Structure formats: structure tokens, C-alpha cells
Amino acid sequence: MIMKKNLLFRLCLMMIALLSLYSCIHDEIYSSSDPSSTEYTNKSLWKQDKKYIKNVMKVYAENEAEIKKVNGIPYWNYATTVDSFDESFVAVPVVNEGKVISVMKVPRHGKNIYFYYTHDESDLKFFQGLVFAKYKKAGMADGSIAQTDGIACTRKWMSIWLPDSESNPDPDSGAGHWSTVSIIKCEATKDECIGIALPNGDCDLSGGNEGGYEYPGGGGEGTEPEEEEDPCDKLKAQNINTDYQNKVTDLNKTSVFNKDHETGYSENKNGNFTELTTSDSDALNITVDANTRGYIHAHLNDKASGRYDDQGIQLHRQPIRMFSPADVNTLMLIAGFRSEGDYEDIYGTMISSYGIYTIKFTGTSADIQTGFNTEEWSKDYQKYRIENKYLSLEKLFLTFLKDKMNIQGVELYKIKSNGTIQKKTLSTNNQIETTDCPD
């Protein structure tokens, strides 16, 4: 497959779209929901202190006339607490006419929070790319850049697309460039100063509002998200679900594998299944939106093509009875509608005469990459199989995932006929390692 090395994915949550698949599930999604909405949805690149952000939003809404100092709209969905979960700090981009014109920073000191506006070039560039770049490069890092008595500073940086002209911000036009930008947060580590620490060590807590605003939240006891549930636990619960098992039974039949087209279902968050339709080829159509939990489908057996080679031997279509790049793409699209860390229940299941397998997304938002639902990726996968014809299908998929697709955060599980769930991974020397999920 010929494809750009920097695999890009969309920053914004997107509305429903429908597209045909090549040899498996392919889909694409478009446009975003309102980023300035009063309903908070995390669209940043990291886990955020949601409790603090929502409480700050409430205070701002109640006191906007006093707090607002610039002619713009806070884009709360892109607020960042920079991995702080102690209800102490948030930075929010302020947008006017399609451009980030300021960054509103809100530290908390005791029972009060303080609003002030900054125009630091690094902050503005960071949020401009985060909010408006259509794609972002999946490369980020973070680290400590300063540590003095009572003060700790942390920097995060990433590569983002920046347009050469604000009048032509679309990356597809090619009128732009990749740039590395950063955001820095300094926090005091002593009780007398919580929030923004200035270079001289003093605290900036007023921002023009000496008394601050009373914080409606708790005492800052910490709001770190709960630890994610083990995929094995989710798969065990899924496999004893009657509705899910009925769909497995419907698809796990030779008559289904011998059809001219694939068969499958999508599942929503309420546990309702919808049968997938087919396109003009043997491909399936799937609708992916914020309500999608996962999908289950069958891959076909070999089938005579009706064509012959030069020696008069009939050629056969040979679908790969294992997940395809397009299947991974669908899983990524489902993950793209979730906030950071809310991935535990999403899945993709493939049933074929080779067995029953499920893929789970266990990465972060930085690992979400799309663009694999193309004919080129399908051809590249077929070529890879021909070049590595002695590999098992499990090893074929996992090595292609690692070496060709450069994917992190996707795990492969086999569900045996006796109900045993096995995690399949690659060892350091590229051998398949099998680990049974605990009973």
C-alpha cells in the first residue's frame, strides 16, 4: 500500500456518515459538533480533570459579564488541565472569527478560582492547531522542565498542522506546514500558592478579580479517572450476553461463510443490534456514530472466481479469514467518538472458518489513527499475505499491524469454542504468545 508514513487522524468528534467497504468494513466520518457548546465533551489529546472543567464552566456561565475580557468564545471542549486531577488549574482557548485570540487560565486557590487571559504565542499556536487543524500528527511528549523550591513546571508538545494562511486552513490544500508547539504549566507545590507560579516565584491569583469566585466543587480531593477495566473482564461479560451470543450463532455457520457477500451486525450502547447491509460488491456498510459500541461480522471462505489462468486452471477468490486494515479502521473510528479513557466496551468481532476473534482498543487518543479503509490498504494486505504465506493468520495480522500500519493500542483475542478467551501477542522475536484470560 502506498500511503503517507505520518498516519493522521481527525481531531474533532464527527457526525454520522456511511461509506462502502472493500472486502470488509470501511467507513468515514465528517464534520464536528459545536466546540463552543455548553455541554462539555473532551476533545483534547489527554485525559482531563472533567469535574474541575465543568465546575469552572458553571462559574463562568453565572458570571460571564464580569469575567469576559476579550471579544471571543471559550471553547471548553478543548480545555486542558495538563494531566492535573486535583481541581486546581485549566487553560481554555478563546476563539473569535475562526482564530484563537487568547487563552483563559483558571487556577484555584483554596475556595476561590481566578480567571485571567494570556496571549502567549506558544499557547495560541498550540490551541490554534488543536481546535482548527483538520488532522494532527500522532506524536507527543511531555516532561519536567523546571523544579525549584515550591515550583514545578511541566511542558507538553506535539506536531500539528498549521495553515500558511488563515483564509485557507484546509490541510488537503497543502497550503501549510507541520510545526512543533508546546504548552507549559507551572504549579506551586506549597500550600500558600496553588495555581500559576510566575518566574520570580510569586503567585498570580487575581487576574483583575481580587476576590476571585467561589468554587462550587469539593476540596480538591482528586478526580483521577477510575482505572480501566481489564479487557478480559469485558470480553467474558460480552460472551455470556444472550443477544451477543445469538448473533455469534447466526454468523458462525458454513452457509454464512460460503455466501457471495459478508454478513454482520453493529451494536449500539443500549445493546441493540442492527443488521449491516451490503454494497455492490461483497462489502458491508456500517454507520459509526457516538452511540456505536462495536460490530460483529463474518469473513468468507475461498470461492471460485469464474476466471482462469494461462494453464486453464480456475482462479479462486481468497479472502483473509482474519481482521483486515479496514476492520481496524472501524474500531479506531468508534474510539474517535469517545472521550479519553472511555474505550473499555468498544470492540470488533470477526467470525470465520478459522475461528472467532475480537479486537479491543486499549490505547490513548494519541493512538487513534484512521485512513486504512482504502483499496490500496486491502491490496497491500493481500500482497503481504502472499509474501508471507507460511505465517499463521494470527501472526500475519499482528505483524502487519505493527510493521506496516504502525498501530499501537489494538489487542487481539481469540474466543475458543469452549468459551476460553486467549490474548494473542507478539514476543520480542515476533513469535505468537498466547495468554489465557483468568476464569
Side-chain angles (χ1 to χ4, degrees):
M1 154 78 209
I2 300 173
M3 186 162 180
K4 295 179 180 178
K5 295 288 184 181
N6 354 343
L7 300 172
L8 311 173
F9 69 93
R10 300 186 185 277
L11 283 172
C12 301
L13 291 179
M14 297 159 277
M15 297 177 67
I16 300 171
L18 190 63
L19 204 68
S20 273
L21 317 175
Y22 293 103
S23 81
C24 211
I25 294 176
H26 297 213
D27 34 21
E28 185 62 71
I29 42 183
Y30 304 94
S31 86
S32 68
S33 57
D34 181 10
S36 60
S37 171
T38 56
E39 296 291 332
Y40 173 70
T41 301
N42 181 17
K43 294 183 181 179
S44 76
L45 306 176
W46 306 284
K47 293 181 180 179
Q48 302 298 344
D49 191 336
K50 297 179 183 179
K51 182 177 180 180
Y52 187 62
I53 292 173
K54 290 180 179 180
N55 282 332
V56 170
M57 289 175 65
K58 179 181 179 181
V59 173
Y60 180 88
E62 294 173 350
N63 302 276
E64 183 176 15
E66 297 177 8
I67 297 172
K68 188 171 183 179
K69 303 297 181 184
V70 297
N71 188 26
I73 300 173
Y75 272 34
W76 297 102
N77 292 342
Y78 296 94
T80 175
T81 53
V82 198
D83 289 344
S84 173
F85 300 98
D86 57 0
E87 299 176 60
S88 65
F89 173 86
V90 66
V92 186
V94 180
V95 176
N96 187 32
E97 296 183 353
K99 185 176 182 179
V100 177
I101 60 170
S102 181
V103 176
M104 182 172 66
K105 296 184 178 181
V106 190
R108 182 177 69 87
H109 179 61
K111 296 181 179 180
N112 290 330
I113 57 176
Y114 303 84
F115 295 79
Y116 68 99
Y117 294 82
T118 68
H119 300 85
D120 179 80
E121 182 179 356
S122 177
D123 285 357
L124 296 178
K125 287 177 65 179
F126 173 85
F127 282 110
Q128 183 70 25
L130 181 61
V131 176
F132 292 106
K134 187 176 180 181
Y135 303 104
K136 88 164 188 67
K137 190 174 185 178
M140 295 178 290
D142 64 89
S144 176
I145 61 171
Q147 184 75 48
T148 61
D149 184 27
I151 301 172
C153 294
T154 304
R155 180 199 303 270
K156 279 188 174 292
W157 64 90
M158 68 175 183
S159 294
I160 59 172
W161 175 271
L162 295 174
D164 291 335
S165 170
E166 294 297 336
S167 62
N168 187 18
D170 189 350
D172 291 339
S173 69
H177 60 282
W178 289 98
S179 178
T180 300
V181 296
S182 66
I183 184 170
I184 301 173
K185 187 183 86 170
C186 293
E187 293 183 298
T189 57
K190 292 184 177 180
D191 293 340
E192 62 266 23
C193 180
I194 300 176
I196 303 301
L198 300 178
N200 63 3
D202 295 334
C203 294
D204 183 351
L205 295 174
S206 66
N209 298 297
E210 294 298 334
Y213 296 87
E214 184 173 355
Y215 180 58
E221 67 279 6
T223 56
E224 176 74 42
E226 294 181 3
E227 186 176 349
E228 295 179 5
E229 189 171 347
D230 186 276
C232 282
D233 294 333
K234 283 292 184 181
L235 286 173
K236 285 187 289 186
Q238 177 175 274
N239 288 334
I240 63 175
N241 178 278
T242 301
D243 292 335
Y244 178 83
Q245 274 302 321
N246 287 340
K247 297 300 179 285
V248 171
T249 301
D250 287 346
L251 297 176
N252 193 20
K253 300 175 181 177
T254 303
S255 59
V256 174
F257 304 147
N258 289 336
K259 286 185 176 181
D260 293 328
H261 58 81
E262 293 182 352
T263 308
Y265 302 88
S266 63
E267 183 187 3
N268 66 19
K269 290 182 178 180
N270 293 326
N272 298 320
F273 288 85
T274 301
E275 186 171 3
L276 301 176
T277 60
T278 58
S279 61
D280 294 336
S281 64
D282 66 356
L284 289 172
N285 300 317
I286 183 172
T287 299
V288 175
D289 59 27
N291 196 39
T292 304
R293 173 179 292 166
Y295 67 92
I296 176 172
H297 69 306
H299 279 197
L300 305 177
N301 287 333
D302 295 356
K303 190 176 183 65
S305 67
R307 296 163 45 228
Y308 298 84
D309 63 15
D310 295 339
Q311 284 74 43
I313 299 175
Q314 184 167 212
L315 301 175
H316 285 72
R317 294 181 58 191
Q318 295 179 310
I320 300 179
R321 293 185 281 279
M322 179 49 66
F323 289 104
S324 72
D327 291 331
V328 176
N329 193 78
T330 300
L331 186 71
M332 292 290 192
L333 289 172
I334 298 172
F337 277 99
R338 303 296 184 94
S339 59
E340 179 73 75
D342 184 25
Y343 307 126
E344 297 125 323
D345 65 329
I346 67 175
Y347 71 94
T349 294
M350 187 281 309
I351 302 175
S352 73
S353 55
Y354 187 69
I356 302 174
Y357 289 85
T358 295
I359 48 176
K360 299 283 290 180
F361 182 71
T362 59
T364 68
S365 57
D367 298 315
I368 300 175
Q369 304 179 46
T370 62
F372 306 111
N373 58 330
T374 65
E375 186 174 11
E376 287 81 6
W377 272 109
S378 179
K379 290 179 178 178
D380 209 36
Y381 194 39
Q382 292 283 356
K383 179 182 177 183
Y384 190 77
R385 180 178 67 165
I386 294 172
E387 293 172 347
N388 299 275
K389 59 184 178 181
Y390 297 113
L391 294 184
S392 69
L393 292 183
E394 294 173 354
K395 189 173 181 179
L396 181 86
F397 171 70
L398 290 175
T399 55
F400 190 84
L401 192 74
K402 177 175 71 77
D403 297 335
K404 298 297 183 179
M405 298 173 69
N406 297 315
I407 288 292
Q408 302 289 328
V410 173
E411 295 181 348
L412 177 66
Y413 293 84
K414 180 176 183 179
I415 292 83
K416 301 181 69 175
S417 58
N418 63 0
T420 300
I421 301 170
Q422 298 178 324
K423 182 178 179 180
K424 302 287 184 173
T425 57
L426 287 175
S427 66
T428 54
N429 60 347
N430 276 351
Q431 298 302 310
I432 290 291
E433 292 185 341
T434 299
T435 304
D436 287 354
C437 287
D439 295 331

